[in-house]
Amino acid sequence: MLRQGRRKAYEAAVLQHYRAVYRFMAYLTRDTVLAEELTQETFASAWANIDSFKARSSFETWLHRIAYRKFIDSKRSRRRDAALMAGLEVQNDNAAKDVNPLHRLAADENTRLLYEAMRSLKQPEYIAILLHYIQGLSFRQVAKVLNQPVGTVKWQTSRALKTLKQYLSGRV
Amino acid sequence: MTQKREKKSKRITLKSLSAQLRSLPEVEVPETLKPRLLAAIPDTQAKPAPANQCRGYPAWDFGVTAAAAVLIFALMLLVNYGLSTPSKTVIMEFDSSLCCTTWNQNSFLYDQNNTYLEKSGSYQLK
């Protein structure tokens, strides 16, 4: 149905998945504006390539895969921009906190500590944890999104959990 | 105080940690996002993905390669067998290699009848 490019079917898919894609982007970018932009880009790209969706994986996995690629691309371009703007940019921590969608969530101490701990993780481990525990994808789905073997994903997740435990045990 | 801390740290298990990760509060989605996403869907049907077009290339490529191979083979056959010299010349060369002696060169050259070699007695063996 989706492959036929029907607008209504696609609208339903957007409504079903946009929260998950935005959440994924928010955790990846820690920036509401950028997360919103990348979510839009993800869905635009998904619509443009709807014919390439062969239902070998779920639509959710396919969307996450596109979203992850969008994030990687934006990270690359931001790195270039940052190099250009390095001399002009003035860091403002308060402004950064306002933009970060995760700061608003850290209402209690435990959640705040957990976010802190997650920030200490290496990127592949952070993304594995994010996709499996927060986005609720299975290890097989995570492996497809990241284009890695399932074993590697499981190993990264378990290592990330151990790191988190170590971090939190030292703080609590 | 330290004992209390130790007790707390012992409580953190991998299981409780994964449960805590699963129950993290939901990220607030901007209200403007949903209408923007829906408005961004064009009315026209989605174009076929470039990946599909790429899938056509190997078959097309194979056809061209096969055609080129057949053409080259045909050319080779044509060069080796199709463009061979006329039989008259072959006979002439063959006869000369057998050391045929003098013959009436003019009649040989200008006679277009293929049977002249057998009928004429204008040549002799050495």
Side-chain angles (χ1 to χ4, degrees):
Chain A
M1 202 165 161
L2 276 170
R3 259 183 272 159
Q4 288 165 0
R6 287 182 188 162
R7 193 191 152 96
K8 278 200 172 180
Y10 188 70
E11 266 182 25
V14 169
L15 292 176
Q16 195 183 338
H17 296 288
Y18 83 98
R19 283 175 188 279
V21 173
Y22 177 78
R23 190 200 306 125
F24 182 47
M25 287 304 190
Y27 271 96
L28 284 176
T29 61
R30 299 190 180 100
D31 183 323
T32 43
V33 180
L34 193 59
E36 210 174 325
E37 239 174 64
L38 291 178
T39 305
Q40 286 187 62
E41 280 181 28
T42 300
F43 280 102
S45 182
W47 173 253
N49 295 293
I50 199 77
D51 284 337
S52 70
F53 175 63
K54 299 289 173 198
R56 284 186 200 130
S57 57
S58 69
F59 187 67
E60 188 186 22
T61 310
W62 187 67
L63 264 183
H64 273 86
R65 206 181 154 117
I66 295 172
Y68 180 62
R69 279 191 207 147
K70 287 280 164 203
F71 166 69
I72 298 287
D73 290 346
S74 84
K75 206 178 162 189
R76 277 187 201 137
S77 64
R78 268 184 294 152
R79 220 178 271 162
R80 279 198 298 269
D81 292 348
L84 288 169
M85 300 292 285
L88 303 170
E89 202 168 299
V90 179
Q91 284 291 332
N92 187 340
D93 284 347
N94 291 329
K97 277 179 186 176
D98 286 343
V99 165
N100 188 344
L102 307 182
H103 270 283
R104 296 174 197 169
L105 304 178
D108 63 298
E109 185 67 9
N110 281 343
T111 313
R112 193 186 61 77
L113 274 174
L114 189 56
Y115 282 137
E116 257 184 46
M118 282 171 74
R119 288 192 80 160
S120 73
L121 294 173
K122 288 175 188 166
Q123 192 181 302
E125 293 170 1
Y126 177 80
I127 293 170
I129 283 273
L130 167 59
L131 284 168
H132 183 61
Y133 289 107
I134 298 168
Q135 293 298 98
L137 301 186
S138 68
F139 284 122
R140 194 178 287 269
Q141 284 177 308
V142 177
K144 276 190 177 172
V145 171
L146 302 178
N147 204 17
Q148 279 178 353
V150 181
T152 308
V153 171
K154 280 184 182 175
W155 179 76
Q156 279 171 342
T157 314
S158 115
R159 206 175 134 174
L161 276 181
K162 280 175 192 163
T163 312
L164 286 178
K165 189 189 165 191
Q166 221 171 7
Y167 186 95
L168 292 170
S169 300
R171 304 265 166 156
V172 177
Chain B
M1 189 71 176
T2 48
Q3 280 177 343
K4 270 187 182 177
R5 272 190 184 175
E6 275 175 12
K7 272 183 188 176
K8 263 193 173 181
S9 68
K10 275 178 190 172
R11 268 180 229 155
I12 300 170
T13 59
L14 293 180
K15 217 174 180 181
S16 69
L17 196 57
S18 38
Q20 208 180 332
L21 281 167
R22 282 198 179 99
S23 60
L24 276 172
E26 187 63 38
V27 175
E28 252 181 66
V29 181
E31 287 174 11
T32 52
L33 183 61
K34 188 173 134 186
R36 263 196 226 171
L37 288 173
L38 294 177
I41 305 170
D43 288 324
T44 51
Q45 290 226 324
K47 286 176 189 171
N52 276 356
Q53 290 167 5
C54 287
R55 263 180 211 139
Y57 286 139
W60 178 82
D61 203 21
F62 176 76
V64 168
T65 311
V70 167
L71 194 71
I72 289 165
F73 187 67
L75 276 171
M76 280 171 67
L77 284 176
L78 201 69
V79 167
N80 285 328
Y81 303 106
L83 297 176
S84 60
T85 51
S87 58
K88 264 191 230 174
T89 317
V90 172
I91 291 165
M92 183 183 77
E93 283 173 3
F94 175 74
D95 286 344
S96 63
S97 71
L98 281 174
C99 304
C100 293
T101 55
T102 54
W103 65 83
N104 186 351
Q105 201 173 19
N106 287 336
S107 69
F108 177 80
L109 286 172
Y110 296 112
D111 193 356
Q112 294 299 312
N113 185 3
N114 283 334
T115 58
Y116 68 90
L117 279 174
E118 288 83 13
K119 287 175 182 176
S120 70
S122 61
Y123 61 92
Q124 292 170 345
L125 284 171
K126 269 181 182 175

